[in-house]
Amino acid sequence: MILLASKRPLRAGVALCLSGVLAACGGGGDADSASTTAPTPAPAGLAVPAPATAVTVADASTPAAVVPAAAPGVDVSCGLNGEAGIQSEVMQRLNTLRSVGAVCGSTVYPATGPLVWNTLLLQASGGHSSDMARNNYFSHTSLDGRIMEQRVQAAGYAYTALGENIAAGQTTAQSVIATWTNSPGHCRNLMNPVYRDVAVACVRSDASNYGYYWTMNLGRPAG
């Protein structure tokens, strides 16, 4: 299983990052994992600096520790769209994009099938956004060292392919989808025909540097 991760700065006060995993059914193989300490959050008004792209070999069969989702009562829609939350808007925007195709950097993606909202992926994405907002950091790697695969496995989602986009500072679902669409790597995650399921969470903390912390998890279920 190969994990690809990259991060790059955007305009002041906004950041984004992506990660993806493709695994053969059942996972397995020797683990050769590498994790990095989450970067110290940049001061308010500064973009997070971009580290070098990392390639990590990991073992999907390694049991993950039980990881709680966002605490009960935590709003995983950042208070957007009232009681309806962001699910309907996010799905409409994502599936409209996939239905017409997109150019992601130099790669042309034709129209592909729609994604389906998945509540297990929402547990993973909501938990990670909540953790970033509460602890004021921005990274695919949790402060305790957990990575995307471990968070998703802990939520109970069995996969053959997995991807993650994160972002911080965008104040609407429209702006975060546009940010990801305009970034080649993130756009490829959005348009990848391998993925079938998706969930997007946003957790807000006015005491943090970026305020709004977004996590998208995409997956293809096992079986």
Side-chain angles (χ1 to χ4, degrees):
M1 176 171 60
I2 305 299
L3 169 63
L4 304 174
S6 68
K7 189 187 299 179
R8 64 184 181 86
L10 297 178
R11 66 181 185 277
V14 179
L16 80 168
C17 190
L18 68 95
S19 186
V21 171
L22 295 178
C25 295
D30 294 334
D32 179 14
S33 61
S35 61
T36 57
T37 303
T40 302
L46 297 180
V48 175
T53 298
V55 179
T56 302
V57 179
D59 182 0
S61 67
T62 301
V66 175
V67 180
V74 171
D75 178 7
V76 292
S77 289
C78 281
L80 302 173
N81 300 340
E83 293 183 0
I86 60 175
Q87 176 180 342
S88 179
E89 181 182 357
V90 163
M91 295 304 293
Q92 186 274 328
R93 294 186 182 280
L94 285 177
N95 285 331
T96 295
L97 178 68
R98 287 170 68 92
S99 72
V100 299
V103 179
C104 304
S106 60
T107 305
V108 176
Y109 281 83
T112 190
L115 295 166
V116 176
W117 190 265
N118 185 276
T119 56
L120 295 178
L121 291 180
L122 182 62
Q123 290 181 37
S125 59
H128 191 49
S129 283
S130 179
D131 193 51
M132 289 192 292
R134 182 175 62 252
N135 293 299
N136 196 25
Y137 73 96
F138 179 74
S139 175
H140 284 289
T141 304
S142 303
L143 292 183
D144 62 6
R146 287 177 295 115
I147 56 177
M148 167 186 63
E149 307 100 287
Q150 293 171 309
R151 293 189 295 267
V152 170
Q153 288 173 339
Y157 184 84
Y159 62 87
T160 57
L162 189 65
E164 181 174 89
N165 287 345
I166 62 175
Q170 296 82 1
T171 58
T172 65
Q174 178 181 6
S175 63
V176 77
I177 296 298
T179 298
W180 285 330
T181 302
N182 291 329
S183 168
H186 299 82
C187 179
R188 286 191 286 270
N189 265 353
L190 302 184
M191 292 301 302
N192 193 330
V194 168
Y195 297 135
R196 296 288 184 267
D197 299 330
V198 68
V200 177
C202 179
V203 175
R204 181 176 178 178
S205 172
D206 293 336
S208 65
N209 289 340
Y210 290 102
Y212 293 73
Y213 291 81
W214 299 82
T215 304
M216 167 188 282
N217 284 125
L218 306 105
R220 184 183 185 94

